[in-house]
């Protein structure tokens, strides 16, 4: 893809981001009903930072967030659907489809288109969360590969403070070649382990994931041990 086309895509992406954010601000019914959150993760990819918010429009909620790591930033937006919510219990089922664009601020180009789907469910003392994400790089760089990523965990609340359970993370190569020109293995990574959530004051959660990488090529140097610290603040 030539530089002129990439420049156009970059400008279109920035325009889309600004229009989306300005429309959300203009259409929001009541600023006091806008909820927000902050999240930071630290793992083998470095430290990643999110800021997000949910804007109500009648019975519909539009969620958006900004994700930053290194010199790249991503803007995501999508409608949040509450399929099950019982006031007299903790049971709930929420789904959130989103689309995002990743911007490379070092090269000043759009890098990735990111369709996503999230599921959040609570049944009594059990909480389930699932991330499904496609990282489509090839529309902006013909030589770049595409990937699918999923993160899933199931937690059981031992009380009001601590929750524990298993977690699975899988990355698949949808397309792409290695440095020798060979097709990449379909399985890029598969990590299995345990997760702990700790209430860290009002509206704060501290999370720790510790697991093992099952793909043999990725086990060299650290015996396949993987982990992540997560801090989430909601308001």
């Amino acid at each position: 893809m030539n530089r002129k086309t990439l420049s156009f895509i970059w400008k279109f992406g920035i325009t889309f981001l600004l229009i989306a954010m300005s429309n959300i601000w203009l259409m929001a019914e009541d600023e006091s009903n806008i909820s927000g959150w902050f999240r930071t993760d630290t793992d083998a990819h470095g430290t990643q930072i999110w800021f997000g918010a949910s804007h109500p429009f009648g019975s519909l909620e539009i969620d958006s967030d900004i994700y930053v790591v290194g010199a790249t930033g991503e803007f995501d937006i999508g409608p949040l659907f509450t399929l099950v919510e019982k006031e007299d219990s903790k049971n709930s089922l929420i789904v959130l489809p989103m689309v995002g664009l990743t911007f490379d601020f070092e090269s000043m180009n759009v890098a990735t288109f990111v369709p996503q789907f999230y599921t959040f469910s609570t049944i009594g003392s059990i909480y389930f969360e699932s991330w499904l994400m496609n990282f489509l790089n090839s529309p902006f760089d013909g030589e770049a590969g595409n990937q699918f990523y999923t993160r899933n965990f199931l937690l059981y609340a031992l009380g009001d403070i601590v929750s524990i359970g298993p977690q699975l993370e899988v990355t698949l190569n949808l397309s792409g070649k290695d440095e020798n020109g060979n097709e990449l293995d379909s399985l890029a990574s598969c990590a299995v382990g345990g997760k702990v959530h700790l209430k860290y004051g009002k509206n704060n959660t501290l999370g720790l994931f510790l697991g093992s990488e099952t793909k043999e090529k990725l086990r060299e140097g650290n015996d396949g041990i993987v982990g992540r610290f997560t801090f989430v603040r909601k308001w």
Side-chain angles (χ1 to χ4, degrees):
M1 189 175 296
N2 61 50
R3 188 167 185 83
K4 184 177 180 180
T5 304
L6 288 172
S7 178
F8 171 78
I9 294 172
W10 166 257
K11 292 174 182 177
F12 175 81
I14 290 292
T15 302
F16 162 78
L17 185 152
L18 294 175
I19 291 175
M21 294 184 70
S22 62
N23 284 343
I24 287 175
W25 179 76
L26 290 171
M27 293 172 62
E29 293 181 344
D30 184 355
E31 184 177 352
S32 64
N33 291 328
I34 299 174
S35 58
W37 53 271
F38 162 79
R39 175 187 181 118
T40 179
D41 281 5
T42 299
D43 56 22
H45 299 289
T47 296
Q48 306 120 61
I49 297 173
W50 284 265
F51 283 98
S54 184
H55 299 76
F57 304 103
S59 59
L60 180 66
E61 290 188 30
I62 300 296
D63 276 35
S64 62
D65 66 70
I66 294 175
Y67 165 84
V68 178
V69 55
T72 63
E74 180 179 315
F75 176 72
D76 306 304
I77 189 168
L80 183 144
F81 300 101
T82 301
L83 303 182
V84 176
E85 186 174 39
K86 297 183 178 180
E87 295 182 0
D88 58 344
S89 71
K90 295 182 179 180
N91 297 346
S92 65
L93 174 60
I94 298 170
V95 296
L96 175 60
M98 304 185 86
V99 292
L101 283 175
T102 298
F103 306 97
D104 185 337
F105 290 98
E106 184 175 358
S107 63
M108 295 303 290
N109 286 313
V110 179
T112 313
F113 176 60
V114 192
Q116 307 153 58
F117 190 87
Y118 302 91
T119 302
F120 313 94
S121 180
T122 301
I123 303 176
S125 299
I126 298 174
Y127 175 76
F128 172 72
E129 184 169 319
S130 174
W131 302 14
L132 305 173
M133 310 177 72
N134 285 288
F135 295 93
L136 306 180
N137 305 295
S138 59
F140 313 107
D141 182 349
E143 297 182 358
N146 303 315
Q147 288 189 320
F148 168 80
Y149 172 78
T150 181
R151 180 185 302 182
N152 307 275
F153 58 88
L154 186 70
L155 300 177
Y156 179 78
L158 300 178
D160 295 331
I161 298 177
V162 181
S163 299
I164 61 172
Q167 178 163 322
L168 171 68
E169 300 186 16
V170 177
T171 303
L172 301 177
N173 290 315
L174 303 179
S175 64
K177 297 181 179 181
D178 61 21
E179 61 273 10
N180 298 319
N182 301 315
E183 293 291 333
L184 295 171
D185 294 341
S186 57
L187 180 63
S189 173
C190 179
V192 181
K195 188 177 185 71
V196 177
H197 268 191
L198 176 67
K199 295 296 183 183
Y200 219 58
K202 187 177 181 180
N203 299 326
N204 300 326
T205 303
L206 184 65
L208 171 62
F209 167 63
L210 187 62
S212 176
E213 172 60 54
T214 63
K215 190 171 177 62
E216 194 63 33
K217 290 182 179 179
L218 301 179
R219 295 180 60 85
E220 298 177 0
N222 60 359
D223 296 325
I225 298 174
V226 295
R228 178 182 301 109
F229 268 120
T230 299
F231 176 78
V232 180
R233 165 74 174 174
K234 297 180 179 181
W235 58 85

